[in-house]
Amino acid sequence: EGIVNIGTAGGLHKESKVLDVIIASQAAQFDIDLTPFGYEKSFAEERTSVYSDNDYIQHAAEIMMKLHDGNRVFIAPMVTSDQFIHTQEQVEIILKDYPEALCADMEAAAIGMVCRQFGIPFTIIRSLSDVAVQKNNTLTFEEYVEKASARSAEFCRQFIKQI
């Protein structure tokens, strides 16, 4: 009846913190370039961008705000690519065309596009495992995985009850 995809992403802004939660308002495939055909690189371009279901977003935000454990929860755009984003140069390239994006992952936009094609409501939720533009992240990846996984499991239990 619907899809909720939970995973990890890398933060794109210095103000971001490991374990921040981003609930995708929309996701775009940032490394697809259709500009030679007259299309733009932006969240407005339907061929490379997709919107999450508003009801799912609201339910997800309600639950995540209760589970946040002091971590921040945002409803915001994110970008997807087949690259692991780890350099300042990569972040600058992304933010030039997608300045509203808070994080980058490797599958959100693809999942959303398939859901859109089949008329399936969806939302994408990402916990920040790292922030590319920070020299030192606050947790090791192993510490992050333990905390994020526990929160994600509890989120799923509550989301299923609510929907």
Side-chain angles (χ1 to χ4, degrees), residues 21-37:
V21 173
I22 315 300
I23 301 168
S25 56
Q26 63 190 121
Q29 201 69 48
F30 90 85
D31 55 356
I32 293 177
D33 186 1
L34 299 175
T35 57
F37 303 103

Side-chain angles (χ1 to χ4, degrees), residues 139-154:
L139 297 173
T140 66
F141 188 73
E142 290 75 20
E143 293 169 320
Y144 161 77
V145 166
E146 188 175 321
K147 290 178 183 228
S149 296
R151 181 175 59 194
S152 294
E154 184 56 30

Side-chain angles (χ1 to χ4, degrees), residues 111-148:
I111 291 166
M113 288 177 187
V114 171
C115 289
R116 178 177 65 195
Q117 182 68 28
F118 288 97
I120 298 169
F122 74 93
T123 191
I124 308 291
I125 302 167
R126 295 292 180 258
S127 178
L128 299 187
S129 59
D130 63 284
V131 180
V133 293
Q134 291 178 1
K135 292 188 192 254
N136 295 316
N137 289 288
T138 56
L139 297 173
T140 66
F141 188 73
E142 290 75 20
E143 293 169 320
Y144 161 77
V145 166
E146 188 175 321
K147 290 178 183 228

Side-chain angles (χ1 to χ4, degrees), residues 12-13 22-28 43 49-52 74-80 98-104:
L12 299 173
H13 298 274
I22 315 300
I23 301 168
S25 56
Q26 63 190 121
F43 284 112
S49 182
V50 63
Y51 287 92
S52 296
F74 300 92
I75 299 171
M78 62 178 61
V79 294
T80 297
Y98 301 94
E100 314 96 321
L102 290 192
C103 64

Side-chain angles (χ1 to χ4, degrees), residues 12-69:
L12 299 173
H13 298 274
K14 289 181 181 172
E15 307 80 35
S16 297
K17 297 177 183 176
V18 171
L19 288 173
D20 280 354
V21 173
I22 315 300
I23 301 168
S25 56
Q26 63 190 121
Q29 201 69 48
F30 90 85
D31 55 356
I32 293 177
D33 186 1
L34 299 175
T35 57
F37 303 103
Y39 302 109
E40 59 183 286
K41 288 185 92 173
S42 78
F43 284 112
E45 181 51 62
E46 272 192 31
R47 285 166 180 77
T48 57
S49 182
V50 63
Y51 287 92
S52 296
D53 181 82
N54 285 327
D55 289 337
Y56 277 32
I57 290 171
Q58 294 311 312
H59 288 295
E62 248 179 65
I63 295 166
M64 275 300 182
M65 290 303 291
K66 293 176 190 169
L67 299 175
H68 69 79
D69 294 332

